[in-house]
Amino acid sequence: KMEYNYVTIINFNGNARIIYNRAKPDQINAYNIPYGGGGTDFEAAFRQAYDVANNYIHQEAIVFIFMTDGGATYPSNSIALFQ
């Protein structure tokens, strides 16, 4: 039996949306991930990440990798959700 790690990719700028949800890494095509640019909103990204994590928190270990090409204010409200 082969076990997989699963990946959820959340794309964000002025809002956040799930591009891949619990996909096997070999099913992800990074070249097809849309990039809109502009309007970086960390709050939207972390709220979406919280919603995804909340679905699986009791079933799996969850690791976040946060990458951005922009700057925004610290997402205090969204980060507080994780506590």
Side-chain angles (χ1 to χ4, degrees), residues 8-80:
T8 296
I9 296 178
I10 299 168
N11 193 328
F12 67 100
N13 48 23
N15 56 29
R17 61 225 153 269
I18 296 172
I19 305 302
Y20 288 97
N21 190 24
R22 296 201 64 200
K24 295 175 184 174
D26 61 354
Q27 295 174 327
I28 295 173
N29 183 344
Y31 294 107
N32 287 339
I33 297 172
Y35 172 75
T40 303
D41 183 357
F42 290 172
E43 288 285 352
F46 278 92
R47 274 192 309 273
Q48 187 73 63
Y50 174 79
D51 290 345
V52 170
N54 203 36
N55 289 328
Y56 306 106
I57 194 75
H58 299 292
Q59 301 168 9
E60 302 168 357
I62 297 173
V63 176
F64 286 101
I65 300 171
F66 181 73
M67 295 185 290
T68 182
D69 69 339
T73 58
Y74 184 78
S76 301
N77 295 330
S78 298
I79 294 293

